[in-house]
Amino acid sequence: MLPTAHPLAVLFGDSFKAQSGKCVSCNRCKTFCAAFPRLSRFFDGAQENMAPSDEDLREALGLCSLCGQCELRCPASLDLAKHIMKAKIRYAESGLTRKDRLMTRVDAIGRWGSRLAPVSNFLVNNPLVRRLAGSLTGIDPRRKLPEFARPTFHEWAGTRRGGASGSSGAPKGKVVYFAGCTANYFDPAIGRSAVAVLERQGVDVVVPPHNCCGLPSIGIGDEKTARSLHEANLARLLPYVEEGCKIVCADCNCVHMMRNNAPLLWPTPETRKVAENVTDIASFLLELAAQGRFNSGLGPVSGGIRYHYACHAKTLRIGNDTIDLLRLIPGLKIDYLDTFCCGMGGAFGMKEKTYELSLEIGADLFKNVRHYRPDRIVTDAPLCGRQIQEATGVQTLAPVQLLAEAYGISTTVNSQ
């Protein structure tokens, strides 16, 4: 239970109350966010000394996926997302449910699921097993779960030619590729495409062992687990950064965690140094193009393409870079799919409590997909891609996979 002081003061502190006083009442945060309509009512009630219940606050905070759009759209430039994140952490100190903890153990689940494939894939796709598992994990049985890959991306990277460092000869530079959980355990074609495209630029690609970036844990306020994951990654990545290497990632969610959240939560010089050298792969490749170092040997790809500007891609402001990079593909017809949220929000879209709400949030985006009728959709957030593909049936892929196709590179992975 929370202390006897007013829950809002305990969760958000005086700084949040002071910032909320700067609010201009534009109500933008209430039009696209599931959490703020409820939180704003609590603050209105706080002025009348009407404290929300412990359960009300828990549920309201659970509706926030830490997408960061409230800060981007707030005309008063309030640090709303940062305070919500810290409030989740404070609240988690009073206890987390077993279901919440289990759902964020992506590394452990992915590692064992991949080892046991194809048996694990048969189980997760069995309707009866999914219904039974829902009561233990909190995952909605209607949610189509991704299949586990075997081998994982990391296993493939460890056995490819030249070991973990890849290309031979005299490379133009060296980068570290950070795969993230999705590309490692569930969709290794993203990682293979990233390595292949980077090597086409004459870049030596290093894939050191690394684990989850910690974003799923922070999503439920589990700062202890997130910090442990971060520190393990820091020990593996920092030596490369000190050599002058960039850390490149094809998942904007991981980039957001390492570049934006980590320095806020753990403001050490080492964390800041890594954060300053983490970049999304589209921005990295576009910089090579600006320097005249990009391999222009791209061929045409078929069909009409639309780009989904995912929420964390917006916080990083990388969407224009992705579009500009893909327009280097000869004759490619690509445009934005408007800027609506898909509603996935990581574990938010998985949970039985919020599965329906995730689809409601993404309804406008899905409507646009049906209106534009693209042949394929690209997005910098692989989990958003899964949500869109499941809801609309349109194939969704990472931008780097489209580049690999344009280079004539096959990165097909045989599923188990």
Side-chain angles (χ1 to χ4, degrees), residues 230 234 237-247 258-259 262-263 266-279:
H230 166 73
L234 200 63
L237 300 176
L238 187 59
Y240 292 100
V241 171
E242 290 176 338
E243 289 179 11
C245 295
K246 289 289 185 181
I247 302 167
M258 292 189 287
R259 186 192 290 179
W266 312 293
T268 65
E270 294 79 9
T271 295
R272 291 194 186 99
K273 191 168 187 177
V274 168
E276 290 167 359
N277 286 279
V278 172
T279 183

Side-chain angles (χ1 to χ4, degrees), residues 271-291:
T271 295
R272 291 194 186 99
K273 191 168 187 177
V274 168
E276 290 167 359
N277 286 279
V278 172
T279 183
D280 65 285
I281 194 166
S283 297
F284 178 81
L285 292 172
L286 195 63
E287 179 63 24
L288 291 184
Q291 298 170 1

Side-chain angles (χ1 to χ4, degrees), residues 153-342:
F153 169 75
H154 281 175
E155 289 170 341
W156 170 83
T159 58
R160 68 195 180 99
R161 71 184 192 283
S165 61
S167 61
S168 58
K172 297 179 182 177
K174 183 167 71 174
V175 300
V176 172
Y177 175 64
F178 187 97
C181 295
T182 299
N184 184 31
Y185 298 116
F186 307 107
D187 201 349
I190 296 174
R192 294 190 185 191
S193 297
V195 170
V197 169
L198 287 167
E199 290 184 341
R200 279 295 175 98
Q201 316 312 316
V203 174
D204 191 17
V205 184
V206 180
V207 186
H210 56 269
N211 46 241
C212 176
C213 67
L215 184 60
S217 297
I218 283 298
I220 63 168
D222 187 358
E223 188 268 344
K224 182 179 179 180
T225 298
R227 185 175 67 250
S228 176
L229 293 168
H230 166 73
E231 289 176 350
N233 282 333
L234 200 63
R236 294 161 176 162
L237 300 176
L238 187 59
Y240 292 100
V241 171
E242 290 176 338
E243 289 179 11
C245 295
K246 289 289 185 181
I247 302 167
V248 179
C249 183
D251 188 330
C252 67
N253 298 316
C254 297
V255 179
H256 172 82
M257 179 64 196
M258 292 189 287
R259 186 192 290 179
N260 292 359
N261 289 349
L264 176 70
L265 294 168
W266 312 293
T268 65
E270 294 79 9
T271 295
R272 291 194 186 99
K273 191 168 187 177
V274 168
E276 290 167 359
N277 286 279
V278 172
T279 183
D280 65 285
I281 194 166
S283 297
F284 178 81
L285 292 172
L286 195 63
E287 179 63 24
L288 291 184
Q291 298 170 1
R293 299 170 55 201
F294 182 76
N295 184 333
S296 60
L298 298 163
V301 298
S302 61
I305 310 292
R306 286 276 171 170
Y307 171 70
H308 167 59
Y309 205 166
C311 292
H312 282 160
K314 293 174 191 172
T315 65
L316 296 166
R317 294 174 173 83
I318 64 175
N320 290 337
D321 284 354
T322 302
I323 287 282
D324 289 345
L325 176 67
L326 293 179
R327 283 177 175 161
L328 297 178
I329 299 174
L332 179 67
K333 297 179 180 179
I334 185 169
D335 210 336
Y336 291 93
L337 192 60
D338 294 335
T339 56
F340 296 113
C341 176
C342 76

Side-chain angles (χ1 to χ4, degrees), residues 384-395:
C384 294
R386 288 190 175 275
Q387 169 89 326
I388 296 169
Q389 185 164 321
E390 185 176 336
T392 67
V394 178
Q395 182 188 11

Side-chain angles (χ1 to χ4, degrees), residues 53-76:
S53 70
D54 183 78
E55 185 61 27
D56 283 342
L57 276 172
R58 183 183 291 275
E59 290 186 2
L61 289 171
L63 294 175
C64 173
S65 63
L66 299 179
C67 71
Q69 298 312 293
C70 52
E71 291 189 3
L72 288 180
R73 304 193 191 193
C74 178

